[in-house]
Every structure is written in structure tokens, then in C-alpha cells.
Amino acid sequence: NELHSLIGTEVPVLSSELDEYYAKYFNRRSSIIVLSKKFESEFLLRKKRIEAYDQGLATLKSEIDGYRAAANEMFKSISLIKVRLASDSSGENHIAHNKLVNVVNANIDTYNRLQKNTNQLVRKYNDMVAKRNEIAFETRDMMKSMDSREHPKVEPSKNRAI
């Protein structure tokens, strides 16, 4: 059964009776245990990398949300000033009108920068999701190919591309 195999391939120190018993099946049981430990190490390394990506994704998502909120506020401000400019069509106060035009233009520049920064962060986020999922799929495939034991599930990121 499975426990029989696990003891023989993963437990480094056994009683002399068990060592003698497993000697029937393994010429160099210690080398198999070393390979098992390497496998475990590779699995844990990948798990830590996935966790690091998940933390990075959460940070990026927060930054993206911040830029989007700032861009939305800037868009509202631009819209309000444009309404004001449209309602002040009498042209009586050219100086005030021109100042508002300058404010709108500056706000549009700011809005465009916010959008550009958001788009850059979204590309970075999507690239990170792809890299994270690549490791998750690799880990899943590695687990499937090595044995039939039950291992913690490593799933693709729930953070989908934005």
C-alpha cells in the first residue's frame, strides 16, 4: 500500500528490521530519500514563489484601484468645468474663461497621465498573473507526474487578467 512505499522512500532513519526489509526493494534507499527531499524542496520553492506573486498581485491591484479612482475623480472635475465653460458662453469675462480653459487642459493632462500609469500597471499585473499561473501549472503537473499522494492544491490565480 501507499504507506509502505512512503516509509521506504521518505523516512531516512528506520529500525534495523525495517531497514533489512526495505533492502529487498532498494539497493540504495538513501539515494531515493535524497531525491524525495529534493522533490519536496522544489515543491516548496514553487509554493513560496506563488505566494510571493500573490502578494505582489494584491499590491498591484491596490495601486491600480488607486489610479482608477484618481482618474475617475479627475474625469468628474473635467466634466464639471466643461459644463461651466459651456454655460458661460456670454464671453463677458474672457480672463476667467481662459483660466478655466487652462485648468481643464491641465486636468486633461493629469487624467491622461493617470490613464497611462494605470495601463502600465495593468500590463504588469497581467504579466505577473501569467507568470504566477505558469508556476502553478508546473507545480500541479510535477505533482501529478511524481506520485499519487494527496497534496495541497495549487490552483491558478483567482486574480484574473484585468
Side-chain angles (χ1 to χ4, degrees):
N1 73 27
E2 190 117 1
L3 181 59
H4 175 269
S5 298
L6 292 175
I7 290 172
T9 59
E10 295 185 15
V11 178
V13 178
L14 298 174
S15 67
S16 59
E17 293 88 11
L18 280 176
D19 255 342
E20 196 174 304
Y21 170 79
Y22 282 109
K24 295 183 235 176
Y25 302 101
F26 305 107
N27 292 332
R28 292 177 44 211
R29 195 174 73 82
S30 62
S31 62
I32 292 170
I33 292 171
V34 167
L35 290 174
S36 176
K37 296 294 181 201
K38 283 183 183 178
F39 172 78
E40 179 91 14
S41 173
E42 286 295 320
F43 176 76
L44 292 174
L45 175 67
R46 283 167 177 76
K47 185 178 176 193
K48 286 180 183 179
R49 288 177 62 198
I50 289 168
E51 289 169 356
Y53 274 120
D54 287 344
Q55 288 176 351
L57 287 167
T59 299
L60 272 176
K61 177 76 169 88
S62 178
E63 286 182 58
I64 290 166
D65 290 346
Y67 275 106
R68 283 183 171 161
N72 286 338
E73 288 302 313
M74 189 57 61
F75 184 80
K76 288 177 190 174
S77 173
I78 292 166
S79 298
L80 289 173
I81 295 171
K82 283 184 172 183
V83 166
R84 203 166 139 200
L85 283 170
S87 68
D88 186 27
S89 59
S90 66
E92 290 179 13
N93 191 345
H94 295 293
I95 295 172
H97 181 83
N98 289 341
K99 283 183 181 180
L100 281 178
V101 168
N102 289 337
V103 170
V104 165
N105 289 338
N107 286 356
I108 289 172
D109 288 343
T110 300
Y111 175 82
N112 288 336
R113 276 194 305 280
L114 289 168
Q115 288 296 95
K116 181 181 175 184
N117 290 340
T118 301
N119 292 340
Q120 288 172 339
L121 288 175
V122 166
R123 281 191 296 277
K124 185 176 178 181
Y125 182 94
N126 290 342
D127 289 345
M128 194 178 284
V129 167
K131 289 174 185 174
R132 185 250 186 240
N133 286 346
E134 184 179 321
I135 295 169
F137 290 132
E138 180 183 285
T139 303
R140 182 197 63 201
D141 293 345
M142 187 174 88
M143 296 303 294
K144 282 182 180 179
S145 72
M146 294 304 287
D147 66 19
S148 62
R149 287 181 296 166
E150 194 66 33
H151 290 282
K153 268 188 158 180
V154 179
E155 293 294 330
S157 176
K158 288 183 176 90
N159 301 308
R160 299 292 180 216
I162 296 176

